[in-house]
Amino acid sequence: MIPGGAHTYAKGDDQFPEEAPGFIARGAGCHVWDADGNEFLEYGMGLRSVTLGHAYGPVLDAAARQLGDGLNFTRPATIEVAAAERLLGALDVADRMVKFAKNGSDVTSAAVRLARAFTGRDRVAICADHPFFSTDDWFIGATPMNAGIPAATRALATTFRYNDLDSVEAVLRDRTVACLVMEVETTEPPAPGFLEGVRRLCDEHGTVLLFDEIITGFRWHNRGASAVYGVRADLTTYGKALGNGFAIAALVGRPELMELGGLRTDRERVFLLSTTYGAETHALAAAMAVIDTYEREPVVEHMHAMGRRLADGVRQASREHGLADFVGVAGRDSNLIYFTKDAEGNRSQPLRTLFLQEMIRHGVIAPSFVVSYAHTDADIDKTLDAVDATLAVYAKALSDGVERYLVGRPVKPVFRPYV
Ligand SMILES: Cc1ncc(COP(=O)(O)O)c(C=O)c1O
């Protein structure tokens, strides 16, 4: 009934080995149970959206209380003001405005539209080293899976490289770029001066700087990766962890830009994020409970500590199995990914599939090593046992051939033009 068998490509059958659990029936903390009742430890946590753990009580309670008062009215709900104050206060950006929506894609696309209207320019510069910004045409048109997107739209996208200021300057120089879209950090940390340089170049060339903090927002720091590195964008987008799984995203930005979508502007109006469900009350209540939890408890510190322990353990296990050059972890401790290489040192999808397969056999679903506040020392220890057993098979596969150990076909990248 469902094309691709999933509502997000990253959850699809082609992303997991054939023996992976087909469906998850329920979750608690960082544990999930599949439709057959098998229990697994989980990493990735709802495409990084669940940082506090599945079914986290205080967030569910806040949402449930709000449900009893109704979800959607004819005029704005009082909680819309409370949630706006709470988010801008938590981010310590009282000089900014906010608009809520349901999806990260929607707020990031809204930011692009604002930037185009503000600058009167059409082109968008996208960071080529960052994987995803939106389901909308302006971004998908720049991927290899761009069927259905007009050539005219595709022609408006240009790219630059992370940590390469020359490439930023090259795309901005002719002053046709409305906005520069990037994450503050993914797997590679910013080189000294890079973010400051991006800020300066955007100012010099009249380009709007957009930081997508949909992953980093409540994972790097309570106030996001911008606060870690002390560089502010003109427009910043949040989502994922903000709702601990509830659908809530936010566009936060300078009033000069945001008011183009409001009622206090003399300029031509921008149609900015006007959706039926954008301010659903229970999702706003959930977001406020998430922020309360982050401010009350050491959520980000815990994720970093668990990730560090896991990264150290995986690196040690890799060394012990003689696989240090073939299996490793990368990225910030609160947002780890791993790599799987073949005997020639090239990234290998069959070996990634084998790694996933063996981890699942040992009770761990790990498309990444992205931890949550719910992961404990005991969970990390269990994961490291699974890694140890997995690497034993991996080492044999490197010498004997992966096909001897892999059940079924390998996984494939999401962004490919043909199945
Ligand atoms: C960095 C980043 N930006 C934007 C999005 C889009 O968010 P959503 O799936 O909520 O539309 C994602 C989703 O994975 C993302 O990782």
Side-chain angles (χ1 to χ4, degrees), residues 4-26:
H7 286 84
T8 318
Y9 281 117
K11 296 185 185 181
D13 280 347
D14 59 350
Q15 300 304 300
F16 288 88
E18 283 197 5
E19 288 187 335
F23 299 92
I24 305 298
R26 68 187 180 90

Side-chain angles (χ1 to χ4, degrees), residues 103-106 108 132-134 183 212 214-215 240:
N103 296 292
S105 296
D106 297 341
T108 305
F132 195 81
F133 292 110
S134 175
E183 295 187 73
D212 175 335
I214 284 164
I215 288 175
K240 301 222 188 236

Side-chain angles (χ1 to χ4, degrees), residues 100-104 238-240 242-244 246-250 278 280 283-284 287:
F100 292 109
K102 283 296 178 203
N103 296 292
Y238 300 87
K240 301 222 188 236
L242 178 58
N244 200 48
F246 281 93
I248 181 83
E280 249 183 353
L284 295 177

Side-chain angles (χ1 to χ4, degrees), residues 219-220 300-308 332-334:
R219 200 169 265 288
W220 262 233
V300 173
E301 291 84 337
H302 182 85
M303 289 192 287
H304 280 99
M306 290 301 107
R308 199 169 313 122
R332 198 172 173 89
D333 290 330
S334 59

